[in-house]
Amino acid sequence: MREAQDREKNRQGTVRDSRMVVIGCVCSVVLILLITMGSMLVFRENMLRSAQLLEQTDYEQYEAYYVMIVSDHSSAFWQSVYESARKVGKETGAYVEMMGGNLSTGYSREELLKIALASGADGIILEVDESPVTAECLEEAQERGIPVVIVLKDNNLGIRTSFVGVSNYNLGREYGRQVLSITDKEVRKVLVLMNAETQYTSQNIIFSGIQETLDGYTDIQVRAAAVENKGAFDVEESIRKLFMEKTLPDVIICLDEISTSCVYQAVVDYNKVGEIDIIGYYDSESILRAIDRNVVRSTISIDTAEMGQYSVMALDEYRKNGYVSEYFSVDTNLITAENVKEYLGGGGSEKIP
């Protein structure tokens, strides 16, 4: 009798456990269904919201795609030129890209030029060099009808749509006049730093302008020195080697922004402030501060806003009319201790004739 009762209890316990398992499974299924339905509702709501945002988004459309290719896209000078070109392009319906600025891998100018041609750019703004590869790319651009505007320094390849820059001869003359303006000490040796990585005829024209301005002053000796310019470190090392020489110049003329900054730092590091006068290039914040502290005597600044503006204008005009002026002259400004406060405060300019 007792055994029968025990079997009945076990049977009832088993049934009860089975019911609990079934109820648990049902509850789990219901919970999963609820979670799934909730997720679907949230997903649907997000999709609807995203669709509404997409409908509200005002996409900018451009009529043309221009690329800018320069030796150092991170320099203050070229960033200023690009910013001006980008703003003008936006106003005229052209998208301007600083090619290489957003790439994780470093590419040479020749490689970037090939990428620009392959990407189907409608126009190219180029700081040119005179390598055979560049010449081939310029010829290809010409054959494909892609206008190329050379900026800052012209080349002797003769393959371009237009040139936006300054008169290199007048620039050299102004450098020479700045040397003659140094009257507080005797000037005998003048050193002009030139880029060893290029064969720009423009550098030679600037140097000729300096020589002609100083012609007749037999006590002043002018010579040029090649500076490795593959990067800021190379420039710095080349200039430090110059400062290790026994006989240092009285005046150093710099033809680019990096050389000016490196020479300024070397003069400070080697305790030559007041012994060597620096005539520099461009108006970065550090160069202006150096003039204000009487470490740099003067600098010649190119109007970067005009350079960017004229570059885009030249490409736009060529695309619309099929022709454009071969030369756009950009203003240059002379900055000295007398007017540097105006530039540090965002003031005016003294234009070089």
Side-chain angles (χ1 to χ4, degrees):
M1 185 70 178
R2 183 176 296 175
E3 291 180 359
Q5 290 177 347
D6 290 340
R7 283 196 298 272
E8 181 63 22
K9 287 181 180 179
N10 290 335
R11 186 187 67 79
Q12 292 177 355
T14 301
V15 171
R16 187 167 52 251
D17 291 342
S18 300
R19 288 176 180 174
M20 292 299 294
V21 170
V22 172
I23 292 172
C25 291
V26 171
C27 291
S28 299
V29 171
V30 172
L31 181 61
I32 291 172
L33 289 174
L34 290 174
I35 292 174
T36 302
M37 292 177 64
S39 299
M40 292 178 66
L41 289 173
V42 171
F43 177 74
R44 182 174 179 275
E45 183 66 23
N46 289 336
M47 290 295 293
L48 290 173
R49 189 177 302 169
S50 298
Q52 291 174 354
L53 290 174
L54 287 173
E55 290 177 359
Q56 296 172 1
T57 302
D58 184 19
Y59 287 102
E60 293 185 83
Q61 296 183 346
Y62 296 92
E63 298 177 2
Y65 169 54
Y66 301 152
V67 299
M68 179 179 288
I69 302 173
V70 298
S71 58
D72 183 8
H73 56 74
S74 63
S75 74
F77 178 87
W78 288 117
Q79 281 296 318
S80 180
V81 174
Y82 168 66
E83 189 60 27
S84 172
R86 186 189 65 81
K87 288 181 179 178
V88 174
K90 190 173 183 179
E91 294 171 0
T92 62
Y95 178 74
V96 184
E97 178 187 3
M98 175 70 87
M99 183 155 282
N102 297 322
L103 299 177
S104 58
T105 304
Y107 292 93
S108 66
R109 267 181 292 184
E110 293 89 346
E111 291 171 329
L112 292 175
L113 193 50
K114 289 181 178 180
I115 294 173
L117 293 173
S119 67
D122 297 303
I124 300 173
I125 302 169
L126 176 66
E127 182 198 7
V128 76
D129 59 25
E130 296 181 355
S131 70
V133 176
T134 297
E136 292 174 5
C137 290
L138 291 178
E139 289 176 355
E140 181 181 347
Q142 190 177 55
E143 292 172 359
R144 294 171 58 177
I146 301 174
V148 178
V149 172
I150 303 300
V151 289
L152 187 60
K153 297 175 181 177
D154 206 358
N155 64 7
N156 61 0
L157 297 174
I159 309 173
R160 58 169 170 74
T161 305
S162 185
F163 168 65
V164 178
V166 300
S167 168
N168 292 304
Y169 179 75
N170 289 344
L171 194 60
R173 297 277 291 179
E174 181 56 35
Y175 276 123
R177 286 193 290 268
Q178 285 301 296
V179 173
L180 295 177
S181 71
I182 301 173
T183 58
D184 55 347
K185 69 178 184 180
E186 185 178 23
V187 176
R188 291 185 176 275
K189 295 181 175 62
V190 178
L191 179 64
V192 183
L193 301 183
M194 303 178 74
N195 189 345
E197 302 304 316
T198 65
Q199 297 178 351
Y200 284 131
T201 55
S202 59
Q203 289 191 137
N204 299 329
I205 295 173
I206 293 172
F207 188 74
S208 296
I210 296 171
Q211 286 183 312
E212 290 185 22
T213 305
L214 300 178
D215 188 33
Y217 295 87
T218 55
D219 56 332
I220 299 179
Q221 302 173 8
V222 183
R223 71 180 182 92
V227 174
E228 298 294 332
N229 202 1
K230 295 178 181 178
F233 178 77
D234 293 321
V235 176
E236 184 178 346
E237 285 301 305
S238 294
I239 289 172
R240 289 192 180 278
K241 288 179 182 178
L242 291 173
F243 272 76
M244 297 300 292
E245 295 179 359
K246 293 181 179 180
T247 304
L248 294 175
D250 303 302
V251 179
I252 297 180
I253 296 176
C254 306
L255 304 184
D256 58 60
E257 175 194 354
I258 298 178
S259 295
T260 305
S261 298
C262 291
V263 169
Y264 153 57
Q265 190 60 51
V267 165
V268 174
D269 292 344
Y270 287 91
N271 197 27
K272 298 297 180 180
V273 176
E275 297 181 27
I276 299 177
D277 282 298
I278 304 169
I279 301 174
Y281 180 91
Y282 192 51
D283 58 352
S284 67
E285 182 73 15
S286 61
I287 293 174
L288 294 178
R289 293 293 178 191
I291 294 174
D292 192 41
R293 295 165 183 158
N294 295 316
V295 180
V296 174
R297 180 168 287 267
S298 62
T299 190
I300 295 176
S301 172
I302 292 177
D303 193 325
T304 53
E306 280 191 354
M307 182 169 288
Q309 175 187 352
Y310 291 163
S311 298
V312 173
M313 287 174 55
L315 291 175
D316 285 343
E317 186 175 340
Y318 183 83
R319 289 185 62 252
K320 292 176 182 178
N321 303 321
Y323 58 87
V324 66
S325 173
E326 291 188 2
Y327 176 51
F328 288 80
S329 178
V330 178
D331 288 333
T332 52
N333 309 314
L334 175 65
I335 306 174
T336 65
E338 285 70 31
N339 65 350
V340 69
K341 296 291 186 184
E342 299 174 6
Y343 287 87
L344 286 169
S349 63
E350 176 188 343
K351 294 180 181 178
I352 299 172

